[in-house]
Amino acid sequence: MDPTTAIARFDRVRADTELLAAPLSPEDQTVQSMADVSPTKWHRAHVTWFFETFVLAENEAGFAPFQDQYWFLFNSYYEQVGPRYARPMRGVISRPGAHEVGDYRRNVDNRVRDLLDRVDEGTFAKLAPTIELGFHHEQQHQELLLMDIKHVLSLNPLQPAYAGRPAEGDGSDRLGWVDIDGGLVEIGSDGGGFCFDNELPRHQQWLEPYRLADRLITNGEWLEFIADGGYLRPELWLSDGWARVNAEAWKAPFYWREADGVWFEHTLHGTTPLDLSLPVCHLSHYEADAYATWAGKRLPTEAEWEHAARSYEVSGNLADRDSFHPRAAGPATGGLRQLFGDCWEWTSSAYLPYPGFHPAAGAIGEYNGKFMSNQMVLRGGCALTPPGHTRASYRNFFPPGARWPVTGLRLADDGGGA
Ligand SMILES: [Fe+2]
């Protein structure tokens, strides 16, 4: 990457965020519907703060922040940068408003462009990895912006739509299986492009032969789980999961609602009758695991998933489609379908450092490493993931009880059998 390319990529990623926010009014952009959700305008400001803090502050001549208090308001979790406003209270911040956040964005955009225009070669070489991280960070927040506004709109009895339209279902065929040889395999980024620090170091792992389902589990298949008492049978559940089922009265995936015997699903394009051929989504890890137990199967490990996915092209139903929702798998291919896009796939792997992992020094080292506790790994990407943002080695992670992200389920099984 040279400075000219950096400016072009910067402009693109910054414009993409604004395009995603465009259908949302200032009022839409202010609401925080639960602690895990951030207001749209906060996402727009926080990704701006990231460039201001990690790119401009140390490299812009005569640097001064756009607004002193924004450093406090829009720092997410970087202890080494300074104190932060409490996350669960982001929704009570009426000022700056959505338009003022736009002013902040334009100011930082211009200053980053100026910096990249004038930067000398040595400084750019030092700065390039942080700029690149800023692009991928902003894309992560583009996905979160959509997941978060989906929750905000779900609480409105007017059932407003964000954008898009339903994808046409195409039926769902029988679940097929793909056998995969085990052996000594390489896991982690191969250095062929950008990766986050948590995808390194590349290392060897031993895999026994295994099988993966050739597509995601569908809404129709999930209904069979419900009909068979899936949410009522403790023997299917991990202990922590069973506690959540009871404490929170789980009876179906997060955005399903039943009315007069008909199931409906809240989506970004509105509330629609449940399409049985679409992948089931908005599951916790506990639900995915319980289903796998019920089906007599298991979840894949993250290494199994990555090893299998490495031989497939990274394409699928990502956020460049117009439904903003998972789509049906389409006809069987003999290989794995829906690997990239549609739903983030829960694995049975705890989110842990790879052997030899060391976070970077300084505040930027807080990006991933400090979250390696009490979270499970998900793979693949979803229908809200920006195109170009995911890859076979990408490690997403959420707490096992999380249901608001676009999460689904692919079954795995031990190989070498019938
Ligand atoms: Fe962030």
Side-chain angles (χ1 to χ4, degrees), residues 243-267:
R244 292 288 288 269
V245 167
N246 288 291
E248 299 177 19
W250 291 353
K251 293 180 169 60
F254 191 52
Y255 286 127
W256 288 24
R257 298 288 177 270
E258 190 180 15
D260 300 326
V262 180
W263 283 102
F264 293 85
E265 182 176 23
H266 166 71
T267 75

Side-chain angles (χ1 to χ4, degrees), residues 17 20-22 24-25 28-32 37-46 101 145-146 148-149 152:
T17 302
L20 292 174
L24 301 167
S25 69
D28 291 332
Q29 293 194 34
T30 303
V31 176
Q32 179 177 35
V37 160
S38 294
T40 303
K41 71 174 184 183
W42 185 91
H43 285 297
R44 293 173 58 221
H46 162 71
V101 167
L145 183 159
L146 292 171
D148 289 358
I149 200 66
V152 168

